[in-house]
Structures are given as structure tokens and as C-alpha cells.
């Protein structure tokens, strides 16, 4: 086969691949749109039931539905609703002991006829747990047995063979997201609440770490009095290693700052380090930040002001700490 033929075949294959990918995405999007248009009182009843729940929300599903169920449980848990995933086959062999009266079970099955799910419905009812079913078949056994049924019906799977769960799992996942986020909204769940369940993530660091958690305090704060010599300020900068020193008044309020940059400019202007006072070369009215502010606010202030460090004050305006960009980088706030 000629090189030209190979190129032509490759181009055709690429076009076919992109065409199929677009068809998959558009079909799944259209199924989600159809779902949005047919939401009804059953959905609002499900939201109300979860809000009233005194126990936990237990999500269960078999196969691909189980994978979707795991994601739904995770989303609920991270947005203020105590939730976990329970494998239906394991439930029949002892894991039902994790469920108590007052719990809600969200059971997923596209057909609504999964043996493993149906097997745990009677004992769930005996336990007094409420059941929310998510199925693609309104007439299924699971749909009829549930206290609330949410339809995840799709007209067509995106799979070219019509076999692999694709549109159906996407719709079930989107329905779970809608359920979790509507519950979140009615709980008045905030970004700070979200951060508390994600302390190791970047959002947790941005919303939970305050300036007071990172600032240098006590003897670590570089500072000299207003009547200090420039040489005293340089020694203090060297000892504390922050690239600056604060200049404070008699009650420890910052009235100036002297930085590495100021030192370079002083040398350029041939300032005599031995005889000059720090007040002659300092910057007056230095930028400060309150110790209660979020660390991310310190980052934003440094970026806006194009500076690398900040002096930290308390309610009275007294110097209580110092912070530089390196501290923020080490804490992974930036």
C-alpha cells in the first residue's frame, strides 16, 4: 500500500473517531437534558427525606451501577450528608448489620431487577430503613418496592452496540449530583464546611489556614526601634532570615519596614551604613495584615502590592508576627 493510501486511511479513521466521540457526548448530553425536563415531585420528596434523615445515607448498586453509587456516596459525604457505599452482595453476607432504623438506602439498578439489590429489599424494610430507588425502568420490581423512585430512564445507550452502560450511567451519576447539591443548598452548606471535610486538599489549605497559623512570632520577628542605626537593622535582618526588619515605636506598633530591596537601593545611593539611622532609609506606613485573616488573603495582598513579606498585627495595631512568601509556599497555600 502506498504512503498516500496510508495517509488517506489514517485521516478517515481519525475523522470517524472524532465523529463517534461527538455522537457519544451529544447523545449523553441530550439524555441529561431530557432528565432535567422530567424531574417531578418524587425528586423533591427524595431531597426532603434525606434532609430529615437522622441516620446515614447508604448507597448500593451492583456492577456499573455500583461504581456510580460509590461516587454518589462520596459526593454526599463531602457535602454535609453522612453517607457510605455498601456492596449489595456483601450486604447479604453480614454487611446489612451496618444499617439501622432511621437510615436511608439509595439503591441503583438500571433494570430495577438486579438480584443482589432485590435480595436486600425485604430485610431493609424490616429494619425500618427508607429506600430511594434510582432505576431506568419505572415498572421494575425495585421501583415499585421503593418508598421513592427516581427515574434514570434513557432512550438510547451511547454504545454503538447498544450494550455497554453509557448514557444510563451518566444520567444516574448526574441525578445523584443533583440530589446531593440540592441537599447541600437546603442545608446552607458553605465553602468553609466543604473545606473542613477536605483538610488535605488545596481548598482546605486556602479556607482553613490563617495568618496566625504560619506567621513568625516572638523572638523570630525581625524588629528594631525607631532610633536604631542602619547597621543594627542589617544585623537583625541577618539573624532572623526573613529579608526584612520592622521598625517599631515605643508600644511595638510598626511604623516602618526595611527590606533587602531597600538595602540594595541604599548601597546604590552610597548611604553610609555605619552612621545612618534606620529611620532615614525605611519605608513608612508598611503594609500589614491582621493575624485573623486567611493565609490566602496574605497571598493576594502580596501579589497585588508586588511584595514578598508582610508584618502581622493584632486588634490594637501592635506587631505580633511576620510572614513571607516562602512561609506560604511551604504551607502549600500558594
Amino acid at each position: 500500500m502506498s504512503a498516500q493510501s496510508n495517509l488517506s486511511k489514517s485521516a478517515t479513521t481519525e475523522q470517524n473517531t472524532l465523529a463517534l466521540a461527538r455522537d457519544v457526548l451529544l447523545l449523553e448530553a441530550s439524555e441529561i437534558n431530557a432528565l432535567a425536563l422530567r424531574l417531578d415531585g418524587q425528586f423533591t420528596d427524595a431531597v426532603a427525606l434525606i434532609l430529615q434523615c437522622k441516620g446515614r445515607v447508604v448507597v448500593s448498586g451492583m456492577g456499573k451501577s455500583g461504581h456510580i453509587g460509590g461516587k454518589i456516596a462520596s459526593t454526599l459525604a463531602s457535602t454535609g450528608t453522612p453517607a457510605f457505599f455498601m456492596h449489595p452482595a456483601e450486604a447479604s453476607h453480614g454487611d446489612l448489620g451496618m444499617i439501622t432504623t432511621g437510615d436511608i438506602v439509595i439503591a441503583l439498578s438500571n433494570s430495577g431487577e438486579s438480584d443482589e439489590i432485590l435480595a436486600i429489599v425485604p430485610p431493609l424494610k424490616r429494619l425500618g430503613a427508607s429506600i430511594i430507588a434510582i432505576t431506568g425502568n419505572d415498572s421494575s420490581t425495585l421501583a415499585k418496592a421503593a418508598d421513592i423512585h427516581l427515574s434514570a430512564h434513557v432512550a438510547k445507550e451511547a454504545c454503538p452496540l447498544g450494550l455497554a452502560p453509557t448514557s444510563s450511567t451518566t444520567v444516574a451519576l448526574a441525578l445523584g449530583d443533583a440530589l446531593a447539591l440540592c441537599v447541600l443548598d437546603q442545608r446552607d452548606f458553605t465553602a468553609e464546611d466543604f473545606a473542613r471535610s477536605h483538610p488535605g486538599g488545596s481548598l482546605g489549605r486556602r479556607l482553613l489556614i490563617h495568618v496566625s497559623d504560619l506567621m513568625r512570632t516572638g523572638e523570630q520577628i525581625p524588629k528594631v526601634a525607631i532610633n536604631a542605626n542602619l547597621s543594627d537593622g542589617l544585623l537583625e535582618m541577618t539573624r532572623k532570615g526573613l529579608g526584612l526588619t520592622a521598625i517599631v515605636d515605643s508600644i511595638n506598633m510598626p511604623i516602618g519596614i526595611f527590606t533587602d530591596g531597600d538595602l540594595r537601593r541604599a548601597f546604590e545611593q552610597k548611604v553610609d551604613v555605619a552612621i545612618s539611622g534606620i529611620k532615614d532609609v525605611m519605608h513608612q506606613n508598611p503594609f500589614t495584615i491582621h493575624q485573623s485573616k486567611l493565609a490566602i488573603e496574605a497571598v493576594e495582598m502580596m501579589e497585588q502590592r508586588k511584595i514578598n513579606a508582610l508584618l502581622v498585627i493584632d486588634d490594637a495595631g501592635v506587631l505580633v508576627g511576620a510572614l513571607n512568601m516562602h512561609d506560604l509556599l511551604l504551607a502549600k497555600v500558594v
Side-chain angles (χ1 to χ4, degrees):
M1 184 178 292
S2 68
Q4 185 65 37
S5 297
N6 282 332
L7 286 173
S8 178
K9 183 178 180 181
S10 176
T12 301
T13 301
E14 181 178 344
Q15 290 171 0
N16 291 341
T17 298
L18 290 174
L20 177 57
R22 292 186 179 107
D23 286 344
V24 169
L25 295 172
L26 290 171
L27 177 58
E28 294 195 359
S30 69
E31 293 290 1
I32 290 177
N33 186 61
L35 168 67
L37 295 175
R38 67 170 181 267
L39 288 179
D40 56 19
Q42 288 283 291
F43 182 85
T44 55
D45 288 346
V47 171
L49 186 63
I50 294 173
L51 286 167
Q52 296 162 11
C53 180
K54 301 301 183 184
R56 292 83 42 84
V57 175
V58 184
V59 188
S60 191
M62 196 70 190
K64 303 296 187 298
S65 292
H67 296 310
I68 298 302
K71 164 58 169 65
I72 293 173
S74 178
T75 300
L76 284 165
S78 69
T79 53
T81 300
F84 63 89
F85 177 78
M86 180 186 67
H87 195 287
E90 297 294 338
S92 294
H93 294 274
D95 280 4
L96 272 175
M98 295 188 291
I99 300 177
T100 63
T101 302
D103 288 346
I104 294 172
V105 176
I106 299 179
L108 289 89
S109 170
N110 186 42
S111 67
E113 303 294 344
S114 299
D115 292 338
E116 295 84 355
I117 289 288
L118 294 179
I120 64 173
V121 169
L124 287 175
K125 287 184 171 291
R126 287 195 294 272
L127 284 169
S130 300
I131 301 175
I132 299 172
I134 297 178
T135 82
N137 183 355
D138 296 356
S139 302
S140 64
T141 304
L142 180 59
K144 292 177 180 178
D147 298 289
I148 296 173
H149 175 244
L150 302 178
S151 175
H153 171 75
V154 296
K156 183 180 179 182
E157 295 286 8
C159 170
L161 302 176
L163 300 174
T166 44
S167 300
S168 57
T169 49
T170 299
V171 163
L173 179 60
L175 185 57
D177 284 344
L179 195 62
L181 297 182
C182 286
V183 171
L184 171 153
D185 180 65
Q186 293 197 34
R187 285 195 199 282
D188 293 325
F189 193 79
T190 66
E192 287 76 15
D193 295 324
F194 186 86
R196 290 188 187 96
S197 61
H198 297 75
S202 60
L203 180 64
R205 289 189 290 273
R206 290 170 65 90
L207 295 180
L208 296 180
I209 297 179
H210 292 79
V211 168
S212 58
D213 298 321
L214 302 179
M215 67 185 189
R216 316 290 181 94
T217 61
E219 290 300 316
Q220 296 178 313
I221 305 172
K223 62 179 181 177
V224 295
I226 184 65
N227 59 354
N229 292 327
L230 176 53
S231 57
D232 296 327
L234 297 181
L235 288 172
E236 182 71 352
M237 287 173 63
T238 302
R239 283 193 295 264
K240 305 301 171 63
L242 276 181
L244 64 88
T245 187
I247 295 88
V248 296
D249 62 14
S250 60
I251 58 173
N252 206 38
M253 295 184 70
I255 56 176
I257 190 170
F258 186 77
T259 68
D260 285 337
D262 295 322
L263 176 60
R264 288 192 293 273
R265 284 184 285 273
F267 280 134
E268 289 172 359
Q269 295 166 11
K270 296 182 170 45
V271 172
D272 191 331
V273 173
I275 62 173
S276 296
I278 193 86
K279 65 181 179 181
D280 299 323
V281 290
M282 72 179 187
H283 275 294
Q284 296 184 33
N285 303 315
F287 295 119
T288 61
I289 189 167
H290 194 277
Q291 61 183 345
S292 66
K293 294 292 187 180
L294 289 171
I296 190 62
E297 294 180 77
V299 174
E300 292 168 355
M301 183 181 292
M302 289 183 193
E303 290 176 343
Q304 290 170 4
R305 306 293 185 181
K306 294 181 172 56
I307 56 177
N308 294 316
L310 282 168
L311 302 179
V312 185
I313 58 173
D314 63 11
D315 291 338
V318 170
L319 181 69
V320 293
L323 183 72
N324 69 7
M325 187 62 78
H326 186 63
D327 298 322
L328 297 162
L329 287 167
L330 285 177
K332 299 183 179 179
V333 176
V334 181

